Amino acid sequence: MAGKRVTNPAGSSNDLRGDVLRVLGVLKVATADQIQRIASPHLTYRHTTKPTASEQKTARTASHAGALSDLRKHGLAENGGTSRAGESLRNLTTKGLEAASYELGRPLTEMGSTARGAGSSGATHPMAVNETVIAMLRPKPDLELLTNEPAEAKLAAQAAVDAPRGIGTIASYATEVPLPATGTWGAPGKGGAQADIVLTAAQAGIPLLFIEVDNCHETAEEIAAKLAKYHRFFKRQIKDTDGKDKPMWRTRWLAYADEGETPHPPVLFVFNHIGARDPNRTIPRLQELTRPLWAGQMTTGGYHSYDKKIPIVATGLRNLREHGPNGPVFLRFGRTQMQPLRDAIGNPRRDAAIAREREEMKVRQEEYQEQLRRATEQKRAEHEARRPVCADCGAKLPDDRWKAAEAYPKPAPRWHPTLCRPCEEKTVAAADQAERDRLEAEAAETAERARGWRSRFRPGQAP
């Protein structure tokens, strides 16, 4: 224990330090409170008997604060200033970012920057990005770790467990991801965008989602310009390893094309209303400015086709926190009703139409198969009706006998086309026996004549 204390003076465990590395590897800069809420959500419901909220927060974040202290001793993390709320900010060093890449299983080239200096002005945007990730994740507390807590804390934790789940794990998210319209992934050129958050959670039905967090400081025109950069990036083609051109984004992320069309990946805007801009005014104006990017074409099937279009969705951070990604708080540009995230970024009408077409096709195939079955049965019945029967016993002739009888209709001594095989064998056997009887009779008659002839002459006499 003394050796561990010397190595890690705060006494943090390997698991705790790994949790911190994973969270900071994704968020880049965060408070101990945000790290705790993601990595150990059960701690949110501990220490609730402390007299003040400040003391409660200090107690529940103590273990992760200790892990941060130990990581700082090892040169993996550092203090990054303070947030506008006065909380200490932490970020990784270059060495820490490399360690986080191992924890997350990501190439170091995809880890982004260390975010050093992000807290020099309060890090209001990174804090909003972090809160968006937490609202999307909705981490569930482990109730088994709260058995000794007060009833009120258990009830609150149970409510969190019973609430709709979030999407993915912390490893499903990435922040500050460059989207190069020119240049390369590692050295983006001018004219590209940088995604605040990229979510990849195919297991949750969202293979790829780009998220932009806006603190309501930007105008609709400025946001529209950012979406134009997204569009440039989505259209960019490069040669893949097979030598064929494909969208650049598909060389990094996996997202299946819809049947019959290839829409661009969806973009979600999360508005955190702390700035002077009113999102209720910004969103309608933004829809008008970006209509060519998202507007679909009505098809004869009664749904819109969004081939080569960007599904653009908007929500508020407050609503996202309260309802999560499964709540009806997302507005898809071009639609009037609020929807859950998966419906908002998808095309439910098209899915329903395709499902109906498949069902109709299935019914048609079943009807066709039934027609084939009936035709086969009718043909078989007609075939059976023409099948000849044995002239002797009346049994139906088998196919091979029937074919042979049609090929050789003329009877022969050992071939009887109107008889079945057993009756033919009996007939042939009877004919053979009759022939043997005839030959025996002839032989007997011949022998009798010979005896009579010999009896007419005595030995030594001339005939």
Side-chain angles (χ1 to χ4, degrees), residues 11 49-50 134 138 279:
T49 57
K50 297 286 185 182
I134 294 172
R138 294 174 75 85

Side-chain angles (χ1 to χ4, degrees), residues 24-351:
L24 282 181
V26 171
L27 302 185
K28 304 300 188 298
V29 58
T31 65
D33 170 68
Q34 291 172 331
I35 295 171
Q36 173 265 306
R37 284 190 284 150
I38 293 173
S40 301
H42 68 281
L43 292 178
T44 302
Y45 306 93
R46 283 187 178 177
H47 309 288
T48 56
T49 57
K50 297 286 185 182
T52 66
S54 177
E55 289 178 302
Q56 292 174 15
K57 179 182 287 188
T58 300
R60 65 181 170 82
T61 60
S63 57
H64 290 89
L68 284 163
S69 178
D70 288 336
L71 288 172
R72 182 181 179 186
K73 178 181 183 298
H74 297 306
L76 301 179
E78 62 185 5
N79 292 335
T82 58
S83 69
R84 291 286 180 90
E87 295 183 85
S88 296
L89 299 173
R90 314 298 176 93
N91 61 269
L92 298 177
T93 63
T94 302
K95 182 180 176 182
L97 202 64
E98 183 176 0
S101 73
Y102 289 110
E103 292 290 335
L104 291 167
R106 293 179 184 171
L108 185 59
T109 54
E110 296 182 8
M111 292 299 295
S113 69
T114 61
R116 177 174 290 177
S120 59
S121 59
T124 55
H125 186 259
M127 293 299 97
V129 169
N130 295 352
E131 292 301 323
T132 298
V133 171
I134 294 172
M136 292 287 290
L137 277 172
R138 294 174 75 85
K140 300 289 187 182
D142 186 347
L143 297 179
E144 294 183 358
L145 301 177
L146 300 172
T147 54
N148 297 324
E149 299 305 312
E152 296 80 1
K154 291 180 182 179
L155 287 175
Q158 184 66 59
V161 170
D162 295 339
R165 298 187 65 85
I167 297 176
T169 65
I170 188 62
S172 305
Y173 296 79
T175 60
E176 299 181 359
V177 180
L179 309 177
T182 59
T184 64
W185 291 111
K190 294 182 179 180
Q194 178 173 278
D196 290 336
I197 305 170
V198 177
L199 168 61
T200 53
Q203 73 280 6
I206 301 182
L208 182 60
L209 174 66
F210 294 90
I211 304 175
E212 288 294 320
V213 181
D214 184 76
N215 281 335
C216 298
H217 296 305
E218 295 181 323
T219 65
E221 287 75 12
E222 290 171 325
I223 299 174
K226 185 180 295 184
L227 279 169
K229 293 180 180 180
Y230 266 93
H231 191 241
R232 287 188 65 196
F233 169 69
F234 290 152
K235 292 194 304 179
R236 184 179 179 185
Q237 301 270 328
I238 63 172
K239 287 192 181 298
D240 202 359
T241 53
D242 57 3
K244 298 180 180 179
D245 287 341
K246 65 174 54 177
M248 185 178 187
W249 65 268
R250 286 190 177 275
T251 65
R252 181 167 180 177
W253 296 292
L254 176 65
Y256 299 104
D258 287 346
E259 186 176 327
E261 62 180 44
T262 54
H264 295 313
V267 179
L268 167 64
F269 279 90
V270 179
F271 289 92
N272 181 32
H273 196 184
I274 63 175
R277 305 289 177 182
D278 184 357
N280 293 322
R281 295 183 178 181
T282 301
I283 292 174
R285 175 61 177 159
L286 182 60
Q287 289 193 67
E288 294 177 9
L289 293 171
T290 59
R291 181 175 294 275
L293 302 182
W294 56 260
Q297 296 292 327
M298 179 59 74
T299 67
T300 56
Y303 60 87
H304 283 87
S305 171
Y306 297 103
D307 190 40
K308 303 298 188 298
K309 301 295 182 177
I310 304 175
I312 304 175
V313 183
T315 190
L317 180 55
R318 184 177 60 184
N319 283 335
L320 181 58
R321 279 191 182 124
E322 182 178 353
H323 300 282
N326 294 303
V329 294
F330 298 87
L331 178 66
R332 168 79 172 262
F333 283 14
R335 298 177 186 173
T336 56
Q337 75 280 12
M338 306 293 276
Q339 298 174 291
L341 179 59
R342 291 176 181 82
D343 291 342
I345 65 175
N347 195 346
R349 289 184 179 178
R350 182 176 184 274
D351 295 341

Side-chain angles (χ1 to χ4, degrees), residues 307-442:
D307 190 40
K308 303 298 188 298
K309 301 295 182 177
I310 304 175
I312 304 175
V313 183
T315 190
L317 180 55
R318 184 177 60 184
N319 283 335
L320 181 58
R321 279 191 182 124
E322 182 178 353
H323 300 282
N326 294 303
V329 294
F330 298 87
L331 178 66
R332 168 79 172 262
F333 283 14
R335 298 177 186 173
T336 56
Q337 75 280 12
M338 306 293 276
Q339 298 174 291
L341 179 59
R342 291 176 181 82
D343 291 342
I345 65 175
N347 195 346
R349 289 184 179 178
R350 182 176 184 274
D351 295 341
I354 291 176
R356 287 195 300 270
E357 291 177 1
R358 289 175 177 171
E359 185 62 29
E360 292 171 357
M361 177 62 72
K362 180 181 177 181
V363 171
R364 288 195 295 269
Q365 289 177 345
E366 290 176 350
E367 291 176 349
Y368 177 69
Q369 293 298 326
E370 179 64 18
Q371 291 175 358
L372 289 180
R373 185 186 66 79
R374 290 178 180 177
T376 301
E377 289 182 353
Q378 183 178 358
K379 185 176 181 180
R380 186 181 296 113
E382 293 173 352
H383 182 75
E384 288 299 320
R386 293 187 292 103
R387 185 182 296 276
V389 297
C390 176
D392 192 356
C393 67
K396 292 184 177 181
L397 299 184
D399 288 344
D400 58 340
R401 188 76 179 177
W402 185 4
K403 291 180 181 180
E406 289 180 339
Y408 306 99
K410 185 176 181 180
R414 306 187 70 80
W415 168 243
H416 301 272
T418 61
L419 300 179
C420 65
R421 193 176 302 279
C423 290
E424 182 186 57
E425 291 175 352
K426 291 179 182 179
T427 300
V428 171
D432 290 346
Q433 185 62 44
E435 179 65 15
R436 288 194 293 271
D437 292 344
R438 185 185 67 78
L439 293 176
E440 289 177 358
E442 289 181 355

